[in-house]
Amino acid sequence: MSETIGYPDPGLDLSDGFKPHTSHWGVFSARFGKAGLEVKPYGGDPDPNRIINNFPGALRHQARIAQPAIRRGWLERGPGPDDRRGRDEFVSVSWEQALDLLGGELTRIRDTIGPGAVFGGSYGWSSAGRFHHAQSQVHRFLNVALGGYVRSVNTYSSGASSVLLPQILTGYEDITKRNVTWEQIAAETDIVLAFGGMALKNSMVAGGSISKHIERGAMDAAHRRGCQFVLVSPLRDDLPVEAGAEWMTAVPGTDTALMLGIVHTLVSEGLHDQAFLDRYTEGWPVFLRYLTGESDGQPKSAEWAAAICGIDADTIGTLARRLAGRRALITVSHSLQRAEHGEQPVWMGMVLAAALGQIGLPGGGYAYSLGAIGYYGRRVNAVPGPTLGQGRNGVADFIPVARIADMLLNPGTTYRYNGETRTYPDIRLVYWAGGNPFHHHQDLNRLRKAFARLDTLVVHELAWTATARHADIVLPSTMTLEREDIGYSTNDPLMVAMHRIAEPFGLARDDYDIFADLAERLGAREPFTEGRTSRQWLAHLYEPTRKALAGSGLEAPGFEEFWQRGSLVLPQHLDDGGALRRFREDPVARPLPTPSGRIEIFSQKIADHGDADCPGHPVWLEKTDTPTSGAPCFLVANQPVTRLHSQLDFGGHSLEAKHRGREVARMNPRDAKARGIADGDIIRIFNARGACLAAVHVTDGIAPGVVQLPTGAWYDPMDPEEEAPLCVHGNPNVLTRDIGTSSFAQGCTGQLTTVEVERFNGNLPPIRAFDPASSMIRKSAKRFSGKIMLN
């Protein structure tokens, strides 16, 4: 354990009325006054994230929701399926009216159908604060007041890998958070082979607070020491210039074939580490028969791989030889498994690292998703942080997170997941607080149909997102700057007292206060609140940290002292390599939590599932979504640079990166020239599922045959009355496929699909995504016979 602890941290500027706060993209201080909102990045951050510049323009933006609103059709006709969601107008109501109506609907569902008809939707990214963590708040409310809810498991980011890796290697967090660190790479690594890269735009954000962005500096230090970085990606900027990377452009989705070709070269030339494979792995002989072609008649040679991935055989062979005998690190990004058969490159990357004998060595081996998020590749805090208990969920049912549309459209039908045959529940009410499915989910026209099937859709939201516009009951929630909280992440040593910077917008309320009053209407206020105000909860959640510090003989300030000082530097564990290092040192005494206790190159458990799209060891499986004459280009729908997901897309930093109000796509000069497209044009991107407009940047930093359009532009249909309207703003999820990675993990496949592109020559439709919903709201309402009626 580190002995370093202190407060306040000198990097926080609290002079001249500035107060401490933090976000998923960085710690900062801020003040709000006549000049508006001012923000200062944390002074101790070597590479501050400019996304904090979205706050000033967003705090009082016209897109904010000022008061509760109810969709007119739900208000007039009551709950039930309705295809007017997303097309209807809203009626503004008081908080009392909104909560009375919602309380009645929740009571109806609970008492006549049961909590198994409620889906608790949330994605957890609404705040870096650990108390006003919307996902925890909504789940706690549904557990306490309703007795439970149907939940989701896994994430859109790592849906395939998070199911696979614990069964073949070790716990997901052991691989991502307690494995290879940036410190190790800077000091130890000889060569990094990065499949999908480690883009700084991804590691600049974290699931909680983040005080120091260290990735750029670590790659720069490693490169200057002589470490070689090799990037396999269709996008050159998937590694920063500081890495000095060699860029290889494989055909998108063919990384598994490339890895097989590399391993085949290692084996055929005797460059693999057979001693490591014999001592630490399970099932190598089974996989070897596949690799050599003994089991299927096709050797997975470099020549075979070259024909699939588009990298010539000599280059593949040379790369294999460069890796052998050196401190080599294999990384596989989230992006590779957010595609059809996404389990295979994750598994095969591990096999490649095992064949090199590098797993468990400092700066070597396998680092799945390193660079995907800000708290990976860092040391772990040695004391606990604040965590809000969610209570007990009395409903056992769940779905993989990316299967929500399937669930709503196909109640009672069966599907496969992790070796089981499960049944989709019949959901009547969805309660969404935190997150925006019209950002995360695929095939948005299909999602619109799915939401139309519900009785009721409830949304807590700070702004009029497409999800809010498709809701029946919209409750305005505060922005993080408008409430108090504690910012914390398990892999960042700075705990931050998040002071309120500004008063709430309009009638917006904290999620906690909304749920407390709603719980009262369901007879559960005391169990939900436990008699505490928000400030009392913060003091209560801080206490485990204080006790742990005191128990370790370290300085342990009380809550009020911590709050006034603004921050606290926590001790962290040593960088010891975690479970994989311990396993390498003694595989008998410290086995892995897999069925064999070893690295499972072949998994009998997975093989016994009998799912053809995910057999018992990694294989190359042909894709069904490949370029055709009607959709000849790959579309890469990756994470944006100027915002986190779709958050604050209306903020100044996000808006500055758009062109003529549209999201900017990128394509290669060769593809642009063939279509008569010039840099700065507006283009129409389309396929059989939908179409969107975007501006275009023509660059040789993207591989030929590939179009890249980041996610997160708010869905903006030109004519919501159409079944498949044109999105005029540039949301790629009108184009992506809503299918699972496989019947094993059912992960999201939103990273990759196929499209055609053409220059848009018509009159440009206006962007309305950020307009206030006043055009959709009828403000006059009155009570009549216990119901709200329109005037």
Side-chain angles (χ1 to χ4, degrees):
M1 177 190 295
S2 167
E3 295 298 320
T4 302
I5 183 171
Y7 61 88
D9 187 273
L12 270 172
D13 182 357
L14 304 183
S15 63
D16 299 324
F18 279 86
K19 299 178 182 179
H21 211 78
T22 189
S23 66
H24 295 302
W25 45 88
V27 175
F28 62 97
S29 51
R31 67 182 180 186
F32 182 65
K34 293 181 180 179
L37 179 70
E38 300 174 75
V39 296
K40 292 182 181 180
Y42 173 61
D45 190 343
D47 191 18
N49 191 339
R50 294 182 62 207
I51 292 180
I52 65 169
N53 294 324
N54 276 326
F55 275 131
L59 182 63
R60 294 293 183 257
H61 195 276
Q62 64 178 4
R64 294 290 304 274
I65 302 173
Q67 70 180 96
I70 298 179
R71 186 175 64 83
R72 177 178 180 176
W74 193 94
L75 194 58
E76 290 183 333
R77 296 183 294 275
D82 194 342
D83 63 8
R84 297 300 301 163
R85 291 190 177 100
R87 302 176 170 102
D88 213 345
E89 66 179 4
F90 285 88
V91 178
S92 290
V93 298
S94 68
W95 272 108
E96 180 184 7
Q97 293 166 335
L99 294 176
D100 283 349
L101 285 167
L102 178 52
E105 173 63 352
L106 290 170
T107 300
R108 178 185 76 87
I109 295 288
R110 181 191 64 185
D111 296 348
T112 63
I113 307 174
V118 176
F119 179 76
S122 181
Y123 206 58
W125 281 103
S126 62
S127 173
R130 297 299 87 191
F131 174 64
H132 292 294
H133 179 242
Q135 187 179 77
S136 297
Q137 290 284 349
V138 67
H139 291 171
R140 178 180 175 86
F141 167 75
L142 293 174
N143 285 333
V144 171
L146 266 70
Y149 62 98
V150 174
R151 71 191 193 281
S152 63
V153 297
N154 312 322
T155 69
Y156 282 91
S157 295
S158 61
S161 56
S162 59
V163 180
L164 174 69
L165 286 170
Q167 302 189 43
I168 63 170
L169 190 56
T170 189
Y172 185 78
E173 292 203 347
D174 284 333
I175 298 169
T176 56
K177 292 186 178 182
R178 296 181 284 271
N179 183 15
V180 178
T181 64
W182 292 107
E183 293 174 73
Q184 295 171 32
I185 293 171
E188 304 279 356
T189 309
D190 294 327
I191 184 169
V192 176
L193 178 54
F195 292 94
M198 296 179 285
L200 292 181
K201 64 181 175 60
N202 299 332
S203 57
M204 292 293 270
V205 302
S209 174
I210 180 170
S211 61
K212 296 182 180 180
H213 296 90
I214 61 175
E215 295 78 9
R216 189 192 308 272
M219 283 187 263
D220 182 50
H223 175 57
R224 285 188 285 107
R225 181 180 50 79
C227 177
Q228 299 172 355
F229 288 82
V230 180
L231 168 65
V232 180
S233 170
L235 310 176
R236 183 166 54 200
D237 57 7
D238 273 342
L239 277 178
V241 295
E242 288 82 0
E246 176 183 344
W247 181 32
M248 294 185 179
T249 57
V251 174
T254 64
D255 302 82
T256 301
L258 174 56
M259 295 178 199
L260 283 163
I262 294 171
V263 176
H264 187 278
T265 300
L266 293 171
V267 171
S268 63
E269 297 184 11
L271 300 174
H272 63 302
D273 191 333
Q274 188 63 53
F276 181 91
L277 294 168
D278 290 342
R279 187 180 188 198
Y280 296 102
T281 73
E282 181 75 13
W284 170 257
V286 178
F287 173 77
L288 184 61
R289 289 195 290 273
Y290 170 75
L291 183 72
T292 60
E294 180 183 341
S295 63
D296 65 357
Q298 175 59 67
K300 312 309 177 296
S301 64
E303 291 75 16
W304 168 86
I308 296 172
C309 71
I311 297 176
D312 67 79
D314 287 344
T315 300
I316 295 172
T318 299
L319 180 57
R321 298 177 198 108
R322 289 169 62 188
L323 294 167
R326 305 175 71 189
R327 186 58 55 85
L329 177 64
I330 309 301
T331 70
V332 173
S333 69
H334 278 331
S335 59
L336 269 63
Q337 56 89 68
R338 295 183 72 248
E340 189 177 9
H341 310 313
E343 297 82 3
Q344 303 310 309
V346 175
W347 202 342
M348 191 61 217
M350 183 200 76
V351 172
L352 172 54
L356 292 166
Q358 294 288 294
I359 294 177
L361 292 174
Y366 184 56
Y368 170 74
S369 76
L370 183 67
I373 197 167
Y375 49 42
Y376 292 174
R378 298 168 182 251
R379 298 189 184 207
V380 180
N381 292 343
V383 293
T387 303
L388 178 65
Q390 297 183 13
R392 179 183 174 275
N393 190 346
V395 177
D397 212 351
F398 67 86
I399 62 164
V401 67
R403 302 273 61 79
I404 182 172
D406 282 355
M407 172 187 70
L408 297 179
L409 292 169
N410 303 294
T413 63
T414 60
Y415 67 100
R416 294 281 292 166
Y417 172 73
N418 200 7
E420 298 179 342
T421 298
R422 302 183 57 82
T423 301
Y424 285 123
D426 187 0
I427 297 297
R428 309 293 284 277
L429 182 145
V430 168
Y431 206 127
W432 214 284
N436 177 13
F438 275 84
H439 159 71
H440 275 105
H441 205 71
Q442 286 64 61
D443 196 349
L444 295 184
N445 292 316
R446 186 170 187 260
L447 182 65
R448 295 171 77 208
K449 294 177 181 176
F451 278 148
R453 189 196 161 274
L454 291 167
D455 283 2
T456 303
L457 174 59
V458 186
V459 171
H460 290 203
E461 187 52 271
L462 63 89
W464 282 104
T465 64
T467 302
R469 293 175 192 262
H470 282 76
D472 299 305
I473 300 175
V474 180
L475 303 180
S477 60
T478 51
M479 184 185 289
T480 174
L481 296 168
E482 299 164 345
R483 55 190 181 231
E484 297 179 337
D485 213 327
I486 301 175
Y488 173 83
S489 172
T490 56
N491 292 64
D492 191 285
L494 191 67
M495 179 184 284
V496 179
M498 301 170 62
H499 286 233
R500 178 180 289 116
I501 308 300
E503 292 302 309
F505 177 84
L507 299 181
R509 303 181 66 195
D510 295 348
D511 292 315
Y512 175 71
D513 294 331
I514 296 171
F515 284 129
D517 285 353
L518 193 55
E520 183 171 7
R521 287 161 168 81
L522 279 78
R525 185 183 187 91
E526 180 62 27
F528 177 76
T529 66
E530 298 183 17
R532 297 188 183 98
T533 64
S534 292
R535 174 61 78 89
Q536 290 170 335
W537 267 109
L538 296 184
H540 175 74
L541 296 180
Y542 173 79
E543 186 62 13
T545 303
R546 190 201 63 78
K547 284 184 176 179
L549 291 172
S552 298
L554 299 172
E555 191 171 13
F559 174 75
E560 288 302 327
E561 185 175 357
F562 156 70
W563 191 258
Q564 291 304 314
R565 292 181 177 267
S567 66
L568 180 64
V569 181
L570 303 177
Q572 294 194 296
H573 288 295
L574 297 175
D575 183 10
D576 62 2
L580 292 178
R581 181 84 54 81
R582 293 191 292 271
F583 169 69
R584 186 182 182 104
E585 292 169 350
D586 192 339
V588 176
R590 295 173 172 176
L592 298 175
T594 62
S596 65
R598 290 147 62 97
I599 298 167
E600 300 224 345
I601 293 174
F602 169 79
S603 167
Q604 187 63 57
K605 179 182 177 181
I606 294 176
D608 288 345
H609 294 166
D611 295 321
D613 54 0
C614 190
H617 60 71
V619 297
W620 166 249
L621 296 170
E622 296 287 347
K623 308 295 192 292
T624 59
D625 191 11
T626 56
T628 64
S629 58
C633 296
F634 285 103
L635 174 71
V636 174
N638 61 348
Q639 292 300 316
V641 176
T642 58
R643 57 184 174 265
L644 167 58
H645 297 313
S646 65
Q647 281 188 29
L648 308 185
D649 189 27
F650 51 88
H653 184 53
S654 181
L655 293 176
E656 286 172 3
K658 298 179 189 291
H659 179 63
R660 301 178 72 181
R662 328 279 152 174
E663 198 65 25
V664 178
R666 294 189 294 172
M667 62 190 307
N668 186 273
R670 189 190 73 181
D671 301 315
K673 182 178 180 181
R675 293 165 174 79
I677 292 171
D679 191 67
D681 281 347
I682 302 299
I683 57 175
R684 176 175 173 264
I685 310 173
F686 60 97
N687 61 19
R689 284 174 292 280
C692 69
L693 300 182
V696 66
H697 175 49
V698 179
T699 172
D700 62 4
I702 187 166
V706 176
V707 179
Q708 178 261 330
L709 178 63
T711 61
W714 284 13
Y715 174 64
D716 192 356
M718 186 166 73
D719 183 358
E721 297 295 334
E722 294 183 359
E723 289 299 306
L726 174 72
C727 175
V728 303
H729 192 202
N731 188 319
N733 278 330
V734 299
L735 305 161
T736 51
R737 293 195 303 168
D738 187 13
I739 65 166
T741 53
S742 75
S743 51
F744 170 67
Q746 294 287 0
C748 160
T749 58
Q751 184 81 15
L752 199 62
T753 190
T754 54
V755 297
E756 180 56 289
V757 181
E758 64 184 12
R759 188 175 187 273
F760 183 76
N761 295 312
N763 294 324
L764 273 181
I767 303 296
R768 296 175 297 184
F770 309 136
D771 289 350
S774 57
S775 59
M776 303 172 64
I777 293 180
R778 178 172 297 184
K779 294 187 177 180
S780 57
K782 66 179 183 180
R783 282 192 177 274
F784 180 72
S785 301
K787 297 181 180 180
I788 301 211
M789 304 293 290
L790 291 172
N791 278 344

